[in-house]
Structure formats: C-alpha cells, structure tokens
Amino acid sequence: MDKYHIDSHKLMYHPDRVQPWLNGETVYPIYMEISPSGQCNHRCTFCALDYMEYEKRFLDTAQLKVTVSELATLGVKSIMYAGEGEPLLHPYIADIIQHTKNRGIDVAMTSNGVEFGKMMSRLVLPHLKWVKFSVNAGSNGLYKDIHKTSPADFDKVIFNIEHACKLRKEEGLDCAIGVQSILLPENEHEMLLLAETVKECGADYFVIKPYSQHTMSKTNKYEKIKYTDLRNLRSILLDSDLNDDDFEVIYRSHTINKWNKKQREYSKCFGLPFWSYMDAGGNVWGCSAHLGRETFNFNYGNIYEECFEDIWNGEKRAKNLKWVENTMNCGKCRVNCRMDECNRYLWELRNPNDHVNFI
C-alpha cells in the first residue's frame, strides 16, 4: 500500500459521511473536481476528454468563489482543480486556490506544469495539499510526440518541478509534490529515466498508472492496450534504489490488473453521492465519464442558474440517482473509473459476507 493510498481509496476515513448514506440520508460530496479552464496548451495522444474540443472557456472567478464558499458550509472537504483543460490557464487560478484554502477546504491541483513557473509556485504552493504534474516521457523528443507540444516544454516542466521542490523546502511548506505518467507502449522504456529525473528534482513520488479508455473519447489508439508483459518494468522500478524515506515509486499494480481483467465485483454504482465534477461552463455532473453527454441526465444543473445546494437536492439529480439504482449497467462503464475503488468498498458494506463478525 502506497503512503497516499493512490492505488486504493480513502473513503474509510469518512464514516461520518458513509453512515448517513447507509441510513438512506442525502449526503453532500466529500471531494469535488473542478475544471476552471476548458482550454489546454497540450494535445496529448491519450487525452480522455479530447471530445470536449478544448473550448476556450473559463469559470467566472466571482461566481466560483461564491460557490466554493457555499461548498465549505455544506461539508465539502477537498477540491482538486484539474478537468477537461489545463487549470493554470485560468487567469485568476492563484486567487481561486487561495480563496478555497481560506474557506477551510483542502486544495490540490493536477497540471501539465508548463505554467507552474517561479511566480505561480510562490502564489499557490503555500495553499495546496498536493500538486501532481502529468509528465509522460523521460526525454524531450518523446515528450513532444506524446504531449503534442514543443520539446522545450519538457525542460520547462522539469525546471518548474525542481524549483517548486526547492521553494517548498526553503519555506517549510506542507505540500506533497508528485509526478504521474500513463504507461504507454512508446514510453515504457523511459519510465526508469523519468523516475530518476523526478527524484533528482526533489519530488515525493512518481506514479505509473494504466491507460483507461473513456467511453466518449475521439481517440481509440490505446483502446486495446495490454499490460500483461510488464513484470520486468515493475521489478526494475520497485527493486531499484530509488525508493527511500523521501521518495516512492508508485507502480499501480492493482489498477493495472483491473484493466487486464476488465471485470467488476459490483453491479451498482454507489459512489456518486460522495463526489462531483464541475466543468468549465459551470455545469455540475454526477459522473465525469458522462461529461458532455445529456442522455442519462448526469448533468444536475449549473452554478450560474442555481446554488449548489439546490442543484444537489434538485429533481434532475434525484431522477438520475433513481436511474443509476434501477437501470444503469455498471458493466458498460469505463474501466478504472474515478470511483471504482470506493464502489468496491461501498458494495461490501451494502452486501457483507456471512463472516464479517469474525474480526
């Protein structure tokens, strides 16, 4: 088990929210993912949300601040700024992050890191619980091919990560800094090199995870990717001298195995009440796998039209949850979806075996 439970889940730390749900009560999200920007400065070959067209739209700062303040009163504990675009392209992202922290909500961000320069680091690092950089190659050339950008971006990102780590140390900041790669056939041979680079930068961890085909993606290049012949890579990474008290390589074996099997141990999605997604247009979604799809009513409402509390308790969401409970076939959902591990946990709580009392 990795230190941050990245290859698992953390819902078991929130019994105060799970128990009311078990009792049939309405609960508000513990965690939200918010996309402040629809625009992105990369065109990664594996991008799950390419069908959103990287629209140049940004959440209104004033309205988002109002909503974040409301979310704090409703008991939302954490927000990750990421989404269908690059969050750092929002012109007031630093102000938004600071406001979120000041309202008592834990803040995190996933970014490609190109715009995470010296000034941005100084503005946001003191307010973040963690920041994770998406870097999917260990060299300029391959980075250019996968991220579909200038090869100079690779050097810029590595410099930004190193600077962020130095600033954190100098200022004594409490922000975990990590790097994440999606394992692809073309980058497998550079994962060790990238891990070494990330450690030299001073980061806390390096995550390797499998690709996951979004049901609405335009790209299907990796749809049939197999991870059955990667035992050697796992051994090289985990048995190397990279892992120590200050740095960890997190090879997501559990998640990779689920991709290979493509089987679920549950037949219903129970995780929706515990999280939500807000797109760059202000729409609140129950499931990001259905982002942009109106067919199954996962769009609960818009923060420009209603407050979050009314959206969460509204007719659209109630109708959607009823459909999820009675009709939706989880077998057709995206493999390794955002709430898969939480769903496995909740399924066991709702369907315990006969021997649970023998603790």
Side-chain angles (χ1 to χ4, degrees), residues 19 62 65 77 86 90 109 139 155 181-182 197 238 246 259 280 343 355:
Q19 188 59 56
K65 283 183 174 182
K77 296 178 182 293
E86 167 53 49
H90 192 291
M109 180 170 59
S139 65
D155 294 320
S181 281
I182 291 180
T197 302
L238 300 185
D246 299 316
W259 170 264
N343 268 321
H355 296 180

Side-chain angles (χ1 to χ4, degrees), residues 328-354:
M328 189 176 81
N329 179 5
C330 282
K332 295 183 178 180
C333 288
R334 182 182 185 184
V335 177
N336 284 324
C337 76
R338 177 79 68 189
M339 295 300 289
D340 181 66
E341 283 299 314
C342 290
N343 268 321
R344 292 168 186 264
Y345 172 69
L346 294 169
W347 179 261
E348 285 195 50
L349 290 180
R350 276 278 181 89
N351 301 274
N353 65 53
D354 291 338

Side-chain angles (χ1 to χ4, degrees), residues 17 28-29 66-77 103-105 307-309:
R17 205 67 62 92
Y28 290 100
V66 170
T67 300
V68 166
S69 296
E70 181 193 7
L71 293 174
T73 66
L74 295 175
V76 171
K77 296 178 182 293
R103 290 300 176 272
I105 297 176
C307 68
F308 188 88
E309 185 173 13

Side-chain angles (χ1 to χ4, degrees), residues 10-204:
K10 295 179 277 288
L11 192 55
M12 67 279 196
Y13 293 113
H14 301 278
D16 58 323
R17 205 67 62 92
V18 174
Q19 188 59 56
W21 171 80
L22 285 170
N23 295 339
E25 301 174 25
T26 297
V27 296
Y28 290 100
I30 297 169
Y31 161 79
M32 282 194 65
E33 183 174 327
I34 296 179
S35 178
S37 167
Q39 191 178 25
C40 191
N41 48 1
H42 286 181
R43 293 293 183 270
C44 300
T45 57
F46 56 82
C47 182
L49 298 176
D50 54 2
Y51 69 93
M52 295 293 289
E53 303 290 351
Y54 313 106
E55 186 178 348
K56 190 177 181 180
R57 60 178 183 171
F58 306 95
L59 282 170
D60 179 76
T61 304
Q63 179 58 59
L64 181 54
K65 283 183 174 182
V66 170
T67 300
V68 166
S69 296
E70 181 193 7
L71 293 174
T73 66
L74 295 175
V76 171
K77 296 178 182 293
S78 65
I79 291 176
M80 179 179 73
Y81 290 107
E84 68 264 28
E86 167 53 49
L88 290 177
L89 294 182
H90 192 291
Y92 300 104
I93 186 61
D95 187 25
I96 291 168
I97 288 172
Q98 291 169 15
H99 176 83
T100 306
K101 173 66 178 300
N102 290 338
R103 290 300 176 272
I105 297 176
D106 289 344
V107 200
M109 180 170 59
T110 297
S111 167
N112 60 41
V114 175
E115 300 299 324
F116 205 85
K118 291 184 177 180
M119 180 61 71
M120 185 60 69
S121 286
R122 192 163 293 279
L123 289 172
V124 303
L125 271 184
H127 306 281
L128 293 172
K129 277 290 184 181
W130 56 263
V131 57
K132 190 183 298 175
F133 297 99
S134 176
V135 185
N136 297 279
S139 65
N140 303 70
L142 186 57
Y143 184 89
K144 171 183 72 70
D145 293 340
I146 293 177
H147 285 252
K148 297 299 179 184
T149 186
S150 165
D153 274 2
F154 176 78
D155 294 320
K156 189 174 183 180
V157 170
I158 296 303
F159 174 84
N160 288 345
I161 295 171
E162 186 174 19
H163 176 266
C165 292
K166 288 181 179 178
L167 178 64
R168 177 185 61 174
K169 185 176 181 179
E170 290 171 359
E171 301 292 330
L173 303 176
D174 183 24
C175 174
I177 298 175
V179 173
Q180 175 175 280
S181 281
I182 291 180
L183 189 57
L184 305 170
E186 57 264 48
N187 70 8
E188 176 189 347
H189 67 288
E190 291 195 354
M191 288 297 97
L192 178 58
L193 173 62
L194 181 56
E196 292 170 343
T197 302
V198 169
K199 182 174 183 178
E200 288 175 6
C201 285
D204 298 294

